[in-house]
Amino acid sequence: MAMINRWDQWLVLLINQPAGRNELLDQFVLDVADSAVLKGGIFLAAYCWIWFEKGDRREDLRRMIVASTLAALVVVLTVRLMQTGLPFHPRPLHAPSFGLNTPLSVHPESLRTWSSFPSDHAALFFALSVPIWTWSRPFGVVAFCWALVVICLPRAYLGFHYPSDVLAGAVLGIVLMVVARGALLRTSLPDRIVGWSGLHPGSFGAIALLYALELATLFEDARHFALDALRLAGKLVA
């Protein structure tokens, strides 16, 4: 464990080294980290590409996309349960003892109450890379690299995650995607949803769009509304 901690600290300090010196650079990295387009938007655009792909594999690819997007919900829920259920793991930003540079664009109290292990961003976007890999090996490599460099690296730079958070999230996301997607593909649910998309394209498109928006933002709105409901229920019970 001590070796992992030393490796974590050394690598996060290396990534974070330029931070706190140039406000423009720090703001750019924060904008990249917060961009829903560069995160979920890119992956959902790839999924639309796969969905409308023509050829003999069309129906199988659509079944795969349906199962994968549903499996992504399993990934997000599992990681969130782990973040709340495991011992609290403070983010590098809140562990000043080893000399992290606080980016000029980040409030020092950001994400203080949120445990960093495992990384939900790494889990979801590495998981979403798996279906792209299934569709096309070259594009799959691009997707995994995008998840690492564009989505996860900025969060380490900003002090939001240790490398071990990212690694654990990535492995967990990939494993959960493979297992959950495989289980869903053995049911009739993907076939029924694909059939529904052909019979009722209007309602399917509307629901798919709303689900895709939530997926692109790691179900942020749904999580906030769920927390509001829990707080309200707590007050009513009290």
Side-chain angles (χ1 to χ4, degrees):
M1 193 66 178
M3 182 179 296
I4 294 176
N5 289 337
R6 287 197 297 270
W7 177 78
D8 255 354
Q9 292 183 13
W10 173 80
L11 192 51
V12 79
L13 286 175
L14 180 65
I15 297 169
N16 169 261
Q17 190 174 13
R21 301 177 185 180
N22 186 298
E23 187 173 1
L24 182 60
L25 175 62
D26 288 353
Q27 186 61 52
F28 173 74
V29 175
L30 180 62
D31 289 342
V32 170
D34 285 345
S35 173
V37 172
L38 293 179
K39 294 187 292 186
I42 291 293
F43 281 87
L44 293 175
Y47 279 28
C48 286
W49 185 351
I50 299 170
W51 183 268
F52 291 106
E53 184 84 351
K54 295 181 180 179
D56 296 337
R57 299 173 60 201
R58 184 172 185 173
E59 290 302 310
D60 288 339
L61 288 174
R62 288 188 171 187
R63 290 177 67 253
M64 186 266 292
I65 290 297
V66 168
S68 298
T69 52
L70 293 176
L73 178 58
V74 176
V75 173
V76 173
L77 289 174
T78 302
V79 172
R80 190 68 196 112
L81 286 173
M82 291 180 67
Q83 287 176 332
T84 55
L86 293 174
F88 186 81
H89 193 257
R91 297 172 186 267
L93 185 64
H94 307 129
S97 58
F98 60 86
L100 188 86
N101 296 327
T102 301
L104 299 174
S105 57
V106 175
H107 192 282
E109 296 301 307
S110 295
L111 301 172
R112 180 175 287 276
T113 59
W114 290 74
S115 181
S116 72
F117 182 90
S119 167
D120 52 0
H121 279 75
L124 176 60
F125 293 109
F126 272 89
L128 291 179
S129 299
V130 173
I132 301 175
W133 170 270
T134 302
W135 169 58
S136 165
R137 294 295 186 266
F139 280 107
V141 170
V142 172
F144 283 118
C145 291
W146 188 273
L148 177 63
V149 176
V150 178
I151 296 174
C152 296
L153 188 61
R155 302 186 70 77
Y157 174 99
L158 296 168
F160 293 167
H161 282 297
Y162 290 99
S164 60
D165 299 335
V166 173
L167 179 60
V171 172
L172 184 64
I174 291 171
V175 171
L176 284 173
M177 173 57 75
V178 171
V179 173
R181 184 184 66 175
L184 284 165
L185 285 172
R186 287 192 290 272
T187 72
S188 63
L189 182 59
D191 290 305
R192 290 162 61 187
I193 293 177
V194 171
W196 169 41
S197 72
L199 294 173
H200 306 283
S203 58
F204 171 80
I207 294 173
L209 176 61
L210 292 174
Y211 184 78
L213 287 173
E214 283 297 296
L215 184 59
T217 57
L218 284 88
F219 300 94
E220 183 176 4
D221 288 340
R223 287 188 291 174
H224 288 168
F225 288 137
L227 287 173
D228 290 342
L230 287 173
R231 294 190 188 102
L232 178 61
K235 288 185 177 181
L236 291 175
V237 170

